[in-house]
C-alpha cells in the first residue's frame, strides 16, 4: 500500500510540474529552438520529481513539505531561464500568477477530498486537480493568451508594477496557507482567510486588466487609424502616377502629327536607318509612360504595374495572373492596400535571399460569384530566406518599425469577413487572402 501511495505522490508532483509548464507555454513567448528547449525542461522536471519523491520516502512528509515552495520556485526559474523569450518582468508576472492559481486549485482540491483518507484521498485529490487544471489551462489558451500577448506588445515598464502585485499576493497567500504550519493541520483549514485573500486578489487582477484593456482598445484604434492613413497615402500616390501616365499619353497624341512629319521627312530624304531609330525611341518612351494591361480593374492595374516595374528593376522575375473585374464590389483603397503591402513584402523577401538564389514573385488573383456571394482570392508567393520567425500567425519583420503591412492586410480581411494566412516553407513565402464581397 505504501508503494502505491508513493507512486501517487510522484504523479502529483509530475502533475504540478506539467501544470507549471503548460501555464507558462500557453502565455509566454518561447525561445528558439522550441522543441529542444521544451525537451530539456521536461527532462529536468522529471529528475527533480524523482528526487522529491526520494526525499519523501527516506526523510518523511515533514521534510518534503518544507521543500515544496523552494522546489516550485526553482522549477519556474529553470523554465524561465531556458524557455522564456519575454522580458523578466513579464515572465515573473506569469510565474507568480501561476503560483497563485496553483495554490488555489490545490487548496480547493484538498478541501473537496478531506472526507476521505489514505489512497482514496490521494486519488480524489489528483482527479479534482486534473479537472480544475484542465479548465483553467483551456481558458488560458483559448481566451486569455491572445489578449495577454497584445498587452505584452503594448505595455513596457508597467509590467514591473504588475509583477510586483502578483508577487505580493503570492507572499500573502503562502503566509496564510503554509505558516506557522501547513493549513491541513488546522481544524478549520483557515478557509475564511484564504477566501478573503483570493477575493482581494481577483479584485486587484480585474482592476489591472480592465484598465489595461481600455489602453489596448485605444492603442488598436490608433493603430487602425495609422493603417488607414497609410492606405490613403498609398492611394494618393497611385492616383498621381495614373494622372502622370494619362497626361504623358495625351502629350504623345498631341505631338503625334509632329512625329509623323519628322518620319516622312526622314524617309523622303533617304534616311531610313535614322527613321527606324527615331521610331524605336518614341515607341520605348510611350511604353514606359503607360501602365501594362495586367487586369481590368484600373486601380489594381496601376498598383500591380508599379510593383512589377520595381521588382524587375531589382532583377526579380514576376508572373501575374490577375482576374479582377473593373466593377469589383470592393473599396478601391482597401484593395490597393492589400496588393501594395503584399507585393512590397514579397520584394523585400526576395532581396533578403542569399546570393545565387532564384528571386521570383508569382501573383494569382481570382474573383468568383456563387449563389450571389462574391469571393476574391489573392495568393502571392515569393522566394525568401530560411530565418523567418512567426508570432501569433504573423511574420516578425526584420525591418525597424516594420510589421505594419501584414497588420494592414489582416485588418482589411477582417473588414470583409475574410481570412489571411502567412506561411514560409522550403524557401517559399506565401501570402493568402480570402475576402467575402
Amino acid at each position: 500500500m505504501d508503494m502505491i501511495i508513493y507512486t501517487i505522490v510522484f504523479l502529483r508532483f509530475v502533475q504540478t510540474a506539467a501544470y507549471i509548464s503548460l501555464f507558462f507555454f500557453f502565455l509566454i513567448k518561447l525561445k528558439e529552438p522550441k522543441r529542444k528547449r521544451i525537451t530539456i525542461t521536461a527532462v529536468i522536471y522529471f529528475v527533480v520529481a524523482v528526487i522529491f519523491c526520494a526525499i519523501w520516502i527516506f526523510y518523511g512528509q515533514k521534510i518534503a513539505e518544507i521543500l515544496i515552495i523552494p522546489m516550485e520556485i526553482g522549477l519556474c526559474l529553470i523554465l524561465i531561464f531556458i524557455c522564456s523569450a519575454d522580458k523578466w518582468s513579464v515572465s515573473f508576472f506569469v510565474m507568480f500568477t501561476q503560483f497563485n492559481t496553483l495554490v488555489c486549485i490545490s487548496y480547493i482540491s484538498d478541501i473537496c477530498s478531506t472526507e476521505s483518507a489514505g489512497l482514496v484521498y490521494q486519488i480524489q485529490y489528483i482527479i479534482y486537480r486534473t479537472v480544475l487544471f484542465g479548465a483553467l489551462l483551456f481558458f488560458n489558451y483559448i481566451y486569455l493568451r491572445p489578449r495577454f500577448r497584445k498587452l505584452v506588445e503594448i505595455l513596457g515598464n508597467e509590467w514591473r508594477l504588475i509583477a510586483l502585485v502578483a508577487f505580493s499576493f503570492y507572499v500573502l497567500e503562502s503566509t496564510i496557507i503554509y505558516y506557522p504550519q501547513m493549513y491541513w493541520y488546522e481544524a478549520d483549514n483557515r478557509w475564511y482567510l484564504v477566501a478573503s485573500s483570493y477575493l482581494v486578489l481577483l479584485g486587484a487582477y480585474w482592476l489591472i486588466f480592465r484598465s489595461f484593456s481600455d489602453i489596448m482598445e485605444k492603442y488598436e484604434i490608433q493603430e487602425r487609424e495609422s493603417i488607414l492613413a497609410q492606405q490613403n497615402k498609398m492611394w494618393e500616390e497611385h492616383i498621381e502616377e495614373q494622372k502622370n501616365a494619362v497626361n504623358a499619353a495625351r502629350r504623345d497624341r498631341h505631338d503625334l502629327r509632329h512625329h509623323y512629319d519628322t518620319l516622312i521627312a526622314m524617309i523622303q530624304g533617304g534616311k531610313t536607318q535614322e527613321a527606324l531609330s527615331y521610331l524605336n525611341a518614341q515607341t520605348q518612351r510611350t511604353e514606359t509612360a503607360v501602365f501594362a494591361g495586367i487586369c481590368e480593374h484600373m486601380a489594381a492595374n496601376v498598383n500591380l504595374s508599379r510593383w512589377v516595374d520595381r521588382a524587375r528593376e531589382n532583377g526579380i522575375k514576376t508572373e501575374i495572373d490577375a482576374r479582377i473585374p473593373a466593377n469589383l464590389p470592393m473599396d478601391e483603397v482597401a484593395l490597393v492596400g492589400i496588393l501594395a503591402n503584399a507585393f512590397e513584402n514579397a520584394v523585400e523577401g526576395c532581396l533578403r535571399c542569399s546570393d545565387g538564389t532564384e528571386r521570383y514573385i508569382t501573383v494569382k488573383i481570382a474573383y468568383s460569384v456563387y449563389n450571389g456571394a462574391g469571393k476574391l482570392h489573392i495568393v502571392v508567393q515569393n522566394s525568401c530566406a530560411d530565418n523567418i520567425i512567426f508570432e501569433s500567425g504573423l511574420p516578425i519583420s526584420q525591418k525597424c518599425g516594420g510589421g505594419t503591412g501584414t497588420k494592414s492586410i489582416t485588418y482589411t480581411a477582417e473588414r470583409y469577413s475574410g481570412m489571411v494566412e502567412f506561411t514560409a516553407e522550403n524557401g517559399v513565402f506565401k501570402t493568402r487572402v480570402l475576402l467575402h464581397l
Side-chain angles (χ1 to χ4, degrees), residues 133-152:
F133 282 159
L136 184 58
L137 291 174
F138 179 80
F139 172 80
N140 284 357
Y141 185 74
I142 299 299
Y143 178 79
L144 189 60
R145 176 178 172 80
R147 292 162 176 79
F148 180 76
R149 296 312 307 176
K150 272 286 186 184
L151 284 176
V152 172

Side-chain angles (χ1 to χ4, degrees), residues 76-259:
C76 286
L77 292 177
I78 289 171
L79 190 149
I80 290 173
F81 178 76
I82 296 176
C83 297
S84 178
D86 283 325
K87 295 181 292 187
W88 66 266
S89 53
V90 175
S91 298
F92 279 4
F93 169 78
V94 176
M95 169 180 170
F96 290 113
T97 299
Q98 174 271 132
F99 281 147
N100 293 331
T101 56
L102 173 63
V103 171
C104 180
I105 289 174
S106 299
Y107 180 85
I108 293 174
S109 301
D110 184 59
I111 295 301
C112 294
S113 307
T114 49
E115 294 184 1
S116 305
L119 181 61
V120 176
Y121 165 82
Q122 298 288 349
I123 294 174
Q124 287 185 353
Y125 182 77
I126 286 182
I127 292 174
Y128 280 120
R129 288 218 309 176
T130 301
V131 173
L132 293 174
F133 282 159
L136 184 58
L137 291 174
F138 179 80
F139 172 80
N140 284 357
Y141 185 74
I142 299 299
Y143 178 79
L144 189 60
R145 176 178 172 80
R147 292 162 176 79
F148 180 76
R149 296 312 307 176
K150 272 286 186 184
L151 284 176
V152 172
E153 293 177 8
I154 296 170
L155 302 181
N157 294 331
E158 294 88 351
W159 282 110
R160 297 177 183 177
L161 177 60
I162 302 174
L164 180 61
V165 171
F167 169 74
S168 300
F169 276 106
Y170 176 64
V171 172
L172 174 64
E173 291 159 12
S174 299
T175 302
I176 292 174
I177 290 177
Y178 297 129
Y179 295 100
Q181 61 180 351
M182 304 293 184
Y183 70 87
W184 49 78
Y185 295 115
E186 299 287 341
D188 59 1
N189 292 315
R190 307 173 192 163
W191 67 267
Y192 46 90
L193 293 176
V194 176
S196 300
S197 67
Y198 273 98
L199 284 175
V200 176
L201 171 68
L202 292 175
Y205 270 46
W206 184 86
L207 287 174
I208 289 172
F209 281 97
R210 181 61 186 171
S211 300
F212 289 125
S213 294
D214 293 339
I215 295 175
M216 187 170 66
E217 288 178 5
K218 293 179 181 178
Y219 174 82
E220 289 179 346
I221 291 173
Q222 292 176 354
E223 188 177 51
R224 294 193 175 190
E225 288 177 349
S226 175
I227 290 172
L228 288 174
Q230 181 198 51
Q231 290 179 344
N232 288 332
K233 182 180 178 181
M234 198 177 299
W235 175 243
E236 291 173 358
E237 291 176 356
H238 298 329
I239 291 296
E240 188 63 29
E241 289 183 357
Q242 185 180 9
K243 287 179 180 179
N244 293 336
V246 170
N247 291 333
R250 286 175 178 172
R251 289 194 301 270
D252 286 338
R253 285 197 299 269
H254 179 268
D255 296 338
L256 192 58
R257 180 172 58 83
H258 302 297
H259 297 318

Side-chain angles (χ1 to χ4, degrees), residues 229-394:
Q230 181 198 51
Q231 290 179 344
N232 288 332
K233 182 180 178 181
M234 198 177 299
W235 175 243
E236 291 173 358
E237 291 176 356
H238 298 329
I239 291 296
E240 188 63 29
E241 289 183 357
Q242 185 180 9
K243 287 179 180 179
N244 293 336
V246 170
N247 291 333
R250 286 175 178 172
R251 289 194 301 270
D252 286 338
R253 285 197 299 269
H254 179 268
D255 296 338
L256 192 58
R257 180 172 58 83
H258 302 297
H259 297 318
Y260 285 158
D261 291 341
T262 302
L263 286 170
I264 291 172
M266 287 181 176
I267 294 172
Q268 288 177 346
K271 299 178 180 180
T272 308
Q273 190 62 40
E274 288 82 350
L276 287 173
S277 299
Y278 183 83
L279 182 60
N280 287 331
Q282 293 303 316
T283 301
Q284 291 177 4
R285 192 176 72 84
T286 303
E287 287 178 351
T288 57
V290 179
F291 289 108
I294 295 176
C295 65
E296 297 177 2
H297 193 282
M298 183 177 294
N301 184 64
V302 171
N303 180 264
L304 292 173
S305 299
R306 172 185 178 226
W307 280 104
V308 165
D309 290 341
R310 290 193 183 184
R312 289 174 179 169
E313 287 172 2
N314 288 281
I316 302 172
K317 179 183 176 182
T318 59
E319 293 182 8
I320 298 181
D321 178 15
R323 287 167 283 170
I324 310 176
N327 59 344
L328 183 73
M330 179 180 178
D331 179 21
E332 291 185 344
V333 175
L335 175 62
V336 166
I338 290 179
L339 298 179
N341 283 309
F343 221 120
E344 181 181 18
N345 291 340
V347 171
E348 291 181 358
C350 289
L351 295 178
R352 289 195 179 95
C353 290
S354 58
D355 294 338
T357 303
E358 181 186 7
R359 297 177 178 180
Y360 68 89
I361 298 174
T362 61
V363 180
K364 292 185 179 181
I365 306 173
Y367 175 70
S368 60
V369 179
Y370 182 75
N371 288 337
K375 292 184 180 180
L376 184 68
H377 192 198
I378 303 171
V379 179
V380 179
Q381 292 187 103
N382 60 276
S383 52
C384 66
D386 295 327
N387 59 346
I388 297 178
I389 300 174
F390 287 81
E391 181 178 358
S392 302
L394 297 179

